[in-house]
Amino acid sequence: MPLTDDEGEVRELTAADMALFRPAHEVLPADLQKVLGMRRRGAQKAPVKAATTIRLSQKVLDAFKATGKGWQTRIDNLLLEAVEQGRV
């Protein structure tokens, strides 16, 4: 089924449509990927981290975010250190 109607309007995508989609790195030429700044992520480093939701005080969040990129990793490192030292 075409993605557009006779007037050229795009119809609503279905789950079946989405299942047919392929990743951009499979369909875009390598030169275009380079121009767009696309790059593939390497293999996951071990140990794999689990995604979670945590509530932090605004003061803590602001302080860590102010340290720049990698602030979530710094929080994880501090918590891991506390666990390893038996403080948790």
Coordinates of all heavy atoms in Angstrom, one line a residue:
M1 N 0.8 -1.2 0.0 CA 0.0 0.0 0.0 C 0.9 1.2 0.0 O 1.8 1.4 0.8 CB -0.9 0.0 1.2 CG -1.7 1.2 1.5 SD -2.6 1.2 3.0 CE -4.2 0.7 2.4
P2 N 0.6 2.2 -0.9 CA 1.5 3.4 -1.0 C 1.3 4.3 0.3 O 0.3 4.2 1.0 CB 0.9 4.2 -2.2 CG -0.2 3.4 -2.7 CD -0.4 2.1 -1.9
L3 N 2.4 5.0 0.6 CA 2.3 5.9 1.8 C 1.6 7.2 1.5 O 1.3 7.9 2.5 CB 3.8 6.2 2.3 CG 4.6 5.0 2.8 CD1 6.0 5.4 3.2 CD2 3.9 4.3 4.0
T4 N 1.3 7.5 0.3 CA 0.6 8.7 -0.1 C -0.7 8.4 -0.8 O -0.8 7.4 -1.5 CB 1.5 9.7 -0.9 OG1 1.9 9.0 -2.1 CG2 2.7 10.1 -0.1
D5 N -1.6 9.3 -0.7 CA -2.9 9.2 -1.5 C -2.8 9.9 -2.8 O -1.7 10.4 -3.2 CB -4.1 9.7 -0.7 CG -4.0 11.2 -0.3 OD1 -3.2 11.9 -1.0 OD2 -4.7 11.6 0.6
D6 N -3.9 10.0 -3.6 CA -3.9 10.5 -4.9 C -3.5 12.0 -4.9 O -3.0 12.6 -5.9 CB -5.2 10.4 -5.6 CG -5.5 8.9 -5.9 OD1 -4.6 8.1 -6.0 OD2 -6.7 8.6 -6.0
E7 N -3.7 12.7 -3.8 CA -3.4 14.1 -3.7 C -2.0 14.3 -3.2 O -1.5 15.5 -3.0 CB -4.4 14.9 -2.8 CG -5.7 15.1 -3.4 CD -6.8 14.1 -2.8 OE1 -6.6 13.8 -1.6 OE2 -7.6 13.7 -3.5
G8 N -1.2 13.3 -2.9 CA 0.1 13.4 -2.4 C 0.2 13.5 -0.9 O 1.3 13.7 -0.3
E9 N -0.9 13.4 -0.2 CA -0.9 13.5 1.3 C -0.4 12.1 1.9 O -0.8 11.1 1.4 CB -2.3 13.8 1.8 CG -2.8 15.1 1.5 CD -2.0 16.3 2.1 OE1 -1.7 16.1 3.3 OE2 -1.7 17.3 1.5
V10 N 0.4 12.2 2.9 CA 1.0 11.0 3.5 C -0.1 10.5 4.5 O -0.7 11.2 5.3 CB 2.3 11.3 4.3 CG1 2.8 10.1 5.0 CG2 3.3 11.9 3.3
R11 N -0.4 9.2 4.4 CA -1.4 8.6 5.3 C -0.7 8.3 6.6 O 0.5 8.3 6.8 CB -2.0 7.3 4.7 CG -0.9 6.2 4.5 CD -1.6 5.0 3.9 NE -0.7 4.0 3.5 CZ 0.0 3.2 4.4 NH1 -0.2 3.3 5.6 NH2 0.9 2.3 3.9
E12 N -1.5 7.9 7.6 CA -1.0 7.6 8.9 C -0.3 6.2 8.8 O -0.8 5.3 8.1 CB -2.2 7.4 9.9 CG -1.7 7.2 11.3 CD -2.9 7.3 12.3 OE1 -3.9 8.0 12.0 OE2 -2.7 6.6 13.4
L13 N 0.9 6.1 9.4 CA 1.6 4.9 9.4 C 1.1 3.9 10.3 O 0.6 4.2 11.4 CB 3.1 5.2 9.7 CG 3.8 6.1 8.7 CD1 5.3 6.3 9.2 CD2 3.9 5.5 7.3
T14 N 1.1 2.6 9.9 CA 0.6 1.5 10.7 C 1.8 0.7 11.3 O 3.0 1.0 10.9 CB -0.2 0.5 9.9 OG1 0.7 -0.1 8.9 CG2 -1.4 1.2 9.2
A15 N 1.5 -0.2 12.2 CA 2.6 -1.0 12.8 C 3.2 -1.8 11.7 O 4.4 -2.1 11.7 CB 2.0 -1.9 13.9
A16 N 2.4 -2.3 10.7 CA 3.0 -3.0 9.6 C 4.0 -2.2 8.8 O 5.0 -2.7 8.3 CB 1.8 -3.6 8.7
D17 N 3.6 -0.9 8.6 CA 4.6 0.0 7.9 C 5.9 0.1 8.6 O 7.0 0.0 8.0 CB 4.0 1.4 7.7 CG 2.7 1.5 6.8 OD1 2.7 0.7 5.8 OD2 1.8 2.3 7.1
M18 N 5.8 0.3 9.9 CA 7.0 0.5 10.7 C 7.8 -0.7 10.7 O 9.1 -0.6 10.8 CB 6.6 0.8 12.2 CG 5.8 2.1 12.3 SD 6.7 3.6 11.8 CE 7.6 3.9 13.3
A19 N 7.2 -1.9 10.7 CA 8.0 -3.2 10.6 C 8.9 -3.3 9.4 O 9.9 -4.0 9.4 CB 7.1 -4.4 10.8
L20 N 8.5 -2.6 8.3 CA 9.2 -2.6 7.1 C 10.4 -1.6 7.0 O 11.2 -1.7 6.2 CB 8.3 -2.3 5.9 CG 7.1 -3.3 5.7 CD1 6.2 -2.8 4.6 CD2 7.7 -4.7 5.3
F21 N 10.4 -0.7 8.0 CA 11.5 0.3 8.0 C 12.8 -0.3 8.3 O 12.9 -1.3 9.0 CB 11.2 1.4 9.0 CG 10.1 2.4 8.6 CD1 9.3 2.2 7.5 CD2 9.8 3.5 9.4 CE1 8.3 3.1 7.1 CE2 8.8 4.4 9.1 CZ 8.1 4.2 7.9
R22 N 13.8 0.3 7.7 CA 15.2 -0.2 7.9 C 16.0 0.9 8.5 O 15.7 2.1 8.3 CB 15.8 -0.7 6.6 CG 15.1 -1.9 6.1 CD 15.7 -2.6 4.9 NE 16.8 -2.0 4.3 CZ 16.9 -1.8 2.9 NH1 15.9 -2.2 2.2 NH2 18.0 -1.3 2.4
P23 N 17.1 0.6 9.3 CA 17.9 1.7 9.9 C 18.5 2.5 8.8 O 18.9 2.0 7.7 CB 19.0 0.9 10.6 CG 18.4 -0.5 10.9 CD 17.5 -0.7 9.7
A24 N 18.7 3.8 9.1 CA 19.3 4.7 8.1 C 20.7 4.2 7.6 O 21.0 4.4 6.4 CB 19.5 6.1 8.7
H25 N 21.5 3.6 8.5 CA 22.8 3.2 8.0 C 22.7 2.1 7.0 O 23.7 1.9 6.2 CB 23.7 2.8 9.2 CG 23.3 1.5 9.8 ND1 22.4 1.4 10.9 CD2 23.6 0.2 9.5 CE1 22.2 0.1 11.2 NE2 23.0 -0.6 10.4
E26 N 21.6 1.4 6.8 CA 21.4 0.4 5.8 C 21.0 1.0 4.5 O 21.2 0.3 3.5 CB 20.4 -0.6 6.3 CG 20.9 -1.5 7.4 CD 19.8 -2.6 7.8 OE1 18.8 -2.7 7.1 OE2 20.1 -3.3 8.8
V27 N 20.4 2.1 4.5 CA 19.8 2.7 3.2 C 20.4 3.9 2.7 O 20.3 4.2 1.5 CB 18.2 2.9 3.4 CG1 17.5 1.6 3.6 CG2 17.9 3.9 4.5
L28 N 21.1 4.7 3.5 CA 21.8 5.9 3.1 C 23.2 5.6 2.6 O 23.9 4.8 3.2 CB 21.8 6.9 4.2 CG 20.5 7.5 4.7 CD1 20.7 8.5 5.8 CD2 19.7 8.2 3.5
P29 N 23.6 6.2 1.5 CA 25.0 6.0 1.0 C 26.0 6.5 2.1 O 25.7 7.5 2.8 CB 25.0 6.9 -0.2 CG 23.6 7.2 -0.6 CD 22.8 7.1 0.6
A30 N 27.1 5.9 2.1 CA 28.1 6.2 3.1 C 28.5 7.6 3.1 O 28.8 8.3 4.1 CB 29.3 5.3 2.9
D31 N 28.7 8.2 1.9 CA 29.1 9.6 1.7 C 28.0 10.5 2.4 O 28.4 11.5 3.1 CB 29.2 10.0 0.3 CG 30.4 9.4 -0.4 OD1 31.2 8.8 0.3 OD2 30.5 9.4 -1.7
L32 N 26.7 10.3 2.2 CA 25.7 11.1 2.9 C 25.7 10.9 4.4 O 25.6 11.9 5.1 CB 24.3 10.7 2.3 CG 23.2 11.5 2.9 CD1 23.4 13.0 2.7 CD2 21.9 11.1 2.2
Q33 N 26.0 9.7 4.8 CA 26.0 9.5 6.3 C 27.2 10.3 6.9 O 27.0 10.9 7.9 CB 26.3 8.0 6.6 CG 25.1 7.1 6.3 CD 25.3 5.7 6.6 OE1 25.9 5.4 7.7 NE2 24.9 4.7 5.7
K34 N 28.3 10.4 6.1 CA 29.4 11.2 6.6 C 29.1 12.7 6.7 O 29.4 13.3 7.7 CB 30.6 10.9 5.7 CG 31.9 11.6 6.2 CD 33.1 11.2 5.4 CE 34.4 11.8 6.0 NZ 35.5 11.4 5.3
V35 N 28.4 13.2 5.6 CA 28.0 14.6 5.6 C 27.1 14.9 6.7 O 27.1 16.0 7.3 CB 27.4 14.9 4.2 CG1 26.7 16.3 4.2 CG2 28.4 14.8 3.1
L36 N 26.2 14.0 7.0 CA 25.2 14.2 8.1 C 25.8 14.0 9.5 O 25.1 14.2 10.5 CB 24.0 13.2 7.9 CG 23.1 13.4 6.6 CD1 22.1 12.3 6.5 CD2 22.5 14.8 6.7
G37 N 27.0 13.5 9.5 CA 27.6 13.3 10.8 C 27.2 12.0 11.5 O 27.3 11.9 12.7
M38 N 26.6 11.1 10.7 CA 26.1 9.8 11.3 C 27.3 8.9 11.6 O 28.3 8.9 10.9 CB 25.2 9.1 10.3 CG 23.9 9.8 10.1 SD 22.9 9.0 8.9 CE 22.8 7.4 9.5
R39 N 27.2 8.2 12.7 CA 28.2 7.2 13.0 C 27.5 6.1 13.8 O 26.6 6.3 14.5 CB 29.4 7.8 13.8 CG 29.0 8.6 15.0 CD 30.2 9.3 15.6 NE 29.7 10.1 16.7 CZ 30.3 10.1 17.9 NH1 31.5 9.5 18.0 NH2 29.9 10.7 18.9
R40 N 28.1 4.9 13.7 CA 27.5 3.8 14.3 C 28.1 3.7 15.7 O 29.3 3.9 15.9 CB 27.8 2.5 13.6 CG 27.3 2.5 12.1 CD 25.9 1.9 11.9 NE 25.5 0.8 12.7 CZ 25.5 -0.5 12.4 NH1 26.0 -0.8 11.2 NH2 25.1 -1.4 13.2
R41 N 27.3 3.3 16.7 CA 27.8 3.1 18.0 C 28.6 1.8 18.1 O 28.1 0.8 17.5 CB 26.6 3.1 19.0 CG 27.1 2.9 20.4 CD 25.9 3.0 21.4 NE 26.4 2.8 22.7 CZ 25.7 3.1 23.8 NH1 24.5 3.5 23.7 NH2 26.3 2.9 25.0
G42 N 29.7 1.8 18.8 CA 30.4 0.5 19.0 C 29.8 -0.4 19.9 O 28.7 -0.2 20.4
A43 N 30.4 -1.5 20.1 CA 29.9 -2.6 21.0 C 29.7 -2.0 22.4 O 30.5 -1.2 22.9 CB 30.8 -3.8 21.0
Q44 N 28.7 -2.5 23.1 CA 28.5 -2.0 24.5 C 29.6 -2.5 25.4 O 30.0 -3.6 25.4 CB 27.1 -2.6 25.0 CG 26.8 -2.2 26.4 CD 26.5 -0.8 26.6 OE1 25.8 -0.2 25.8 NE2 27.1 -0.2 27.6
K45 N 30.1 -1.5 26.2 CA 31.1 -1.9 27.2 C 30.5 -2.6 28.3 O 29.4 -2.4 28.7 CB 31.8 -0.6 27.7 CG 32.5 0.2 26.7 CD 33.1 1.5 27.3 CE 33.7 2.3 26.2 NZ 34.1 3.6 26.7
A46 N 31.3 -3.5 28.9 CA 30.8 -4.3 30.1 C 31.2 -3.6 31.3 O 32.3 -3.0 31.3 CB 31.3 -5.7 30.0
P47 N 30.5 -3.6 32.4 CA 29.2 -4.2 32.5 C 28.1 -3.3 31.9 O 28.2 -2.1 31.9 CB 29.0 -4.4 34.0 CG 29.8 -3.2 34.6 CD 31.0 -3.0 33.7
V48 N 27.1 -3.9 31.4 CA 26.0 -3.2 30.8 C 25.2 -2.5 32.0 O 24.9 -3.2 33.0 CB 25.1 -4.1 30.0 CG1 23.8 -3.4 29.5 CG2 25.9 -4.7 28.9
K49 N 24.8 -1.3 31.8 CA 24.0 -0.6 32.8 C 22.5 -0.7 32.5 O 22.1 -0.9 31.4 CB 24.4 0.9 32.8 CG 25.8 1.1 33.2 CD 26.2 2.6 33.2 CE 27.6 2.8 33.6 NZ 28.0 4.2 33.6
A50 N 21.7 -0.7 33.5 CA 20.3 -0.8 33.4 C 19.7 0.6 33.4 O 20.1 1.5 34.3 CB 19.7 -1.6 34.5
A51 N 18.7 0.9 32.6 CA 18.0 2.2 32.6 C 17.0 2.2 33.7 O 16.4 1.1 34.0 CB 17.3 2.4 31.3
T52 N 16.9 3.3 34.4 CA 16.0 3.4 35.5 C 15.5 4.8 35.7 O 16.0 5.7 35.0 CB 16.7 3.0 36.9 OG1 15.7 2.9 37.9 CG2 17.8 3.9 37.2
T53 N 14.6 5.1 36.5 CA 14.1 6.4 36.8 C 14.4 6.7 38.3 O 14.2 5.8 39.2 CB 12.6 6.6 36.6 OG1 12.3 6.2 35.2 CG2 12.1 8.0 36.9
I54 N 15.0 7.8 38.6 CA 15.3 8.2 40.0 C 15.0 9.6 40.2 O 15.1 10.5 39.3 CB 16.8 7.9 40.2 CG1 17.2 8.2 41.7 CG2 17.7 8.7 39.3 CD1 18.6 7.8 42.1
R55 N 14.5 9.9 41.4 CA 14.2 11.3 41.7 C 15.3 11.9 42.6 O 15.7 11.3 43.6 CB 12.9 11.4 42.5 CG 11.7 11.0 41.7 CD 10.4 11.2 42.5 NE 9.3 10.8 41.7 CZ 8.6 11.6 40.9 NH1 9.0 12.8 40.8 NH2 7.6 11.1 40.2
L56 N 15.9 13.0 42.1 CA 17.0 13.7 42.8 C 16.5 15.1 43.2 O 15.7 15.7 42.5 CB 18.2 13.8 41.9 CG 18.8 12.4 41.4 CD1 19.8 12.7 40.3 CD2 19.3 11.6 42.5
S57 N 17.1 15.6 44.2 CA 16.8 17.0 44.6 C 17.3 17.9 43.4 O 18.3 17.6 42.8 CB 17.4 17.4 45.9 OG 18.8 17.4 45.8
Q58 N 16.6 19.0 43.3 CA 17.0 19.9 42.2 C 18.4 20.4 42.4 O 19.2 20.6 41.4 CB 16.0 21.1 42.1 CG 16.2 21.9 40.8 CD 15.9 21.1 39.6 OE1 14.8 20.5 39.5 NE2 16.8 21.2 38.6
K59 N 18.8 20.6 43.6 CA 20.2 21.1 44.0 C 21.2 20.1 43.5 O 22.2 20.5 42.9 CB 20.3 21.4 45.5 CG 21.5 22.1 45.9 CD 21.5 22.4 47.4 CE 22.8 23.1 47.8 NZ 22.7 23.5 49.2
V60 N 21.0 18.8 43.7 CA 21.9 17.8 43.3 C 22.0 17.7 41.8 O 23.0 17.7 41.2 CB 21.5 16.4 43.9 CG1 22.3 15.3 43.2 CG2 21.7 16.4 45.4
L61 N 20.8 17.7 41.2 CA 20.7 17.7 39.7 C 21.4 18.9 39.1 O 22.2 18.7 38.1 CB 19.3 17.6 39.3 CG 19.0 17.3 37.8 CD1 19.6 16.0 37.4 CD2 17.5 17.4 37.6
D62 N 21.2 20.1 39.6 CA 21.8 21.3 39.0 C 23.3 21.2 39.2 O 24.1 21.5 38.2 CB 21.3 22.5 39.7 CG 19.8 22.8 39.3 OD1 19.3 22.3 38.3 OD2 19.2 23.6 40.1
A63 N 23.8 20.7 40.3 CA 25.2 20.7 40.6 C 25.9 19.7 39.6 O 27.0 20.0 39.1 CB 25.5 20.3 42.0
F64 N 25.3 18.5 39.4 CA 26.0 17.6 38.5 C 25.9 18.0 37.0 O 26.8 17.9 36.3 CB 25.3 16.2 38.7 CG 26.0 15.4 39.8 CD1 25.5 15.4 41.1 CD2 27.1 14.6 39.5 CE1 26.1 14.7 42.1 CE2 27.7 13.9 40.5 CZ 27.2 13.9 41.8
K65 N 24.7 18.5 36.6 CA 24.6 19.0 35.3 C 25.6 20.1 35.0 O 26.1 20.3 33.8 CB 23.2 19.5 35.0 CG 22.2 18.3 34.7 CD 20.9 18.8 34.3 CE 20.0 17.7 33.9 NZ 18.7 18.2 33.4
A66 N 25.9 21.0 36.0 CA 26.8 22.1 35.8 C 28.2 21.6 35.5 O 29.0 22.4 35.0 CB 26.8 23.0 37.0
T67 N 28.5 20.3 35.8 CA 29.8 19.8 35.5 C 30.0 19.4 34.1 O 31.1 19.0 33.7 CB 30.2 18.6 36.5 OG1 29.3 17.5 36.2 CG2 30.1 19.0 37.9
G68 N 28.9 19.4 33.3 CA 29.0 19.2 31.9 C 28.7 17.7 31.5 O 28.2 17.0 32.3
K69 N 29.0 17.4 30.3 CA 28.7 16.1 29.7 C 29.3 15.0 30.6 O 30.4 15.1 31.1 CB 29.3 16.0 28.3 CG 28.9 14.8 27.5 CD 29.5 14.9 26.1 CE 29.1 13.6 25.4 NZ 29.6 13.6 24.0
G70 N 28.5 13.9 30.8 CA 29.0 12.8 31.6 C 28.5 12.9 33.0 O 28.9 12.1 33.8
W71 N 27.6 13.8 33.3 CA 27.2 14.0 34.7 C 26.5 12.8 35.2 O 26.6 12.4 36.4 CB 26.3 15.2 34.8 CG 25.0 15.2 34.1 CD1 24.8 15.7 32.8 CD2 23.7 14.7 34.5 NE1 23.5 15.5 32.4 CE2 22.8 14.9 33.5 CE3 23.3 14.2 35.7 CZ2 21.5 14.5 33.6 CZ3 22.0 13.8 35.8 CH2 21.1 14.0 34.8
Q72 N 25.7 12.0 34.4 CA 25.1 10.8 34.9 C 26.1 9.7 35.2 O 25.9 9.0 36.2 CB 24.1 10.3 33.8 CG 22.9 11.2 33.6 CD 22.1 10.8 32.4 OE1 22.6 10.5 31.3 NE2 20.8 10.9 32.5
T73 N 27.2 9.6 34.4 CA 28.2 8.7 34.7 C 28.9 9.0 36.1 O 29.2 8.2 36.9 CB 29.3 8.7 33.6 OG1 28.6 8.3 32.4 CG2 30.4 7.7 33.9
R74 N 29.1 10.3 36.3 CA 29.7 10.7 37.6 C 28.8 10.4 38.8 O 29.3 9.9 39.8 CB 30.0 12.2 37.6 CG 31.3 12.5 36.7 CD 31.7 14.0 36.8 NE 30.8 14.9 36.1 CZ 30.8 15.0 34.8 NH1 31.6 14.4 34.0 NH2 30.0 15.9 34.3
I75 N 27.5 10.5 38.6 CA 26.6 10.1 39.7 C 26.7 8.6 39.9 O 26.8 8.1 41.0 CB 25.1 10.5 39.4 CG1 24.9 12.0 39.4 CG2 24.1 9.8 40.3 CD1 23.6 12.5 39.0
D76 N 26.7 7.8 38.8 CA 26.8 6.4 38.9 C 28.1 6.0 39.6 O 28.1 5.1 40.5 CB 26.8 5.7 37.5 CG 26.9 4.2 37.5 OD1 26.0 3.6 38.1 OD2 27.8 3.7 37.0
N77 N 29.2 6.7 39.3 CA 30.5 6.3 39.9 C 30.5 6.6 41.4 O 31.0 5.8 42.1 CB 31.6 7.1 39.2 CG 31.9 6.7 37.8 OD1 31.6 5.6 37.4 ND2 32.5 7.5 37.0
L78 N 29.9 7.7 41.8 CA 29.8 8.0 43.2 C 29.0 6.9 44.0 O 29.3 6.5 45.1 CB 29.3 9.4 43.5 CG 30.2 10.5 43.2 CD1 29.5 11.9 43.3 CD2 31.4 10.5 44.2
L79 N 27.8 6.6 43.4 CA 27.0 5.5 44.0 C 27.7 4.2 44.0 O 27.6 3.5 45.0 CB 25.7 5.5 43.3 CG 24.8 6.7 43.4 CD1 23.6 6.6 42.4 CD2 24.3 6.9 44.8
L80 N 28.4 3.8 43.0 CA 29.1 2.6 42.9 C 30.2 2.5 44.0 O 30.4 1.5 44.7 CB 29.7 2.4 41.5 CG 30.4 1.0 41.3 CD1 29.5 -0.2 41.5 CD2 31.0 1.0 39.9
E81 N 30.9 3.7 44.1 CA 31.9 3.7 45.2 C 31.3 3.5 46.6 O 31.9 2.8 47.4 CB 32.6 5.1 45.1 CG 33.7 5.3 46.1 CD 34.4 6.7 45.9 OE1 34.5 7.2 44.8 OE2 34.6 7.3 47.0
A82 N 30.2 4.1 46.8 CA 29.5 4.0 48.1 C 29.1 2.5 48.4 O 29.3 2.0 49.5 CB 28.3 4.9 48.2
V83 N 28.6 1.9 47.3 CA 28.3 0.4 47.4 C 29.5 -0.4 47.7 O 29.5 -1.3 48.6 CB 27.5 -0.1 46.1 CG1 27.4 -1.6 46.1 CG2 26.2 0.6 46.0
E84 N 30.6 -0.2 47.0 CA 31.8 -1.0 47.2 C 32.4 -0.8 48.5 O 33.1 -1.6 49.1 CB 32.8 -0.7 46.0 CG 32.3 -1.2 44.7 CD 33.2 -0.8 43.5 OE1 34.0 0.1 43.7 OE2 33.0 -1.4 42.4
Q85 N 32.2 0.4 49.1 CA 32.8 0.7 50.4 C 31.8 0.3 51.5 O 32.1 0.5 52.7 CB 33.1 2.2 50.5 CG 34.3 2.6 49.7 CD 34.6 4.1 49.7 OE1 33.9 4.8 50.5 NE2 35.6 4.5 49.0
G86 N 30.7 -0.3 51.2 CA 29.7 -0.8 52.2 C 29.0 0.3 52.9 O 28.4 0.1 53.9
R87 N 28.9 1.5 52.2 CA 28.2 2.6 52.8 C 26.7 2.6 52.5 O 26.0 3.5 52.9 CB 28.8 3.9 52.4 CG 30.2 4.1 53.0 CD 30.8 5.5 52.7 NE 31.3 5.5 51.3 CZ 31.1 6.5 50.5 NH1 30.6 7.7 50.9 NH2 31.6 6.5 49.2
V88 N 26.3 1.6 51.8 CA 24.9 1.5 51.4 C 24.3 0.3 51.9 O 24.9 -0.8 51.9 CB 24.7 1.6 49.8 CG1 23.3 1.4 49.4 CG2 25.3 2.9 49.3

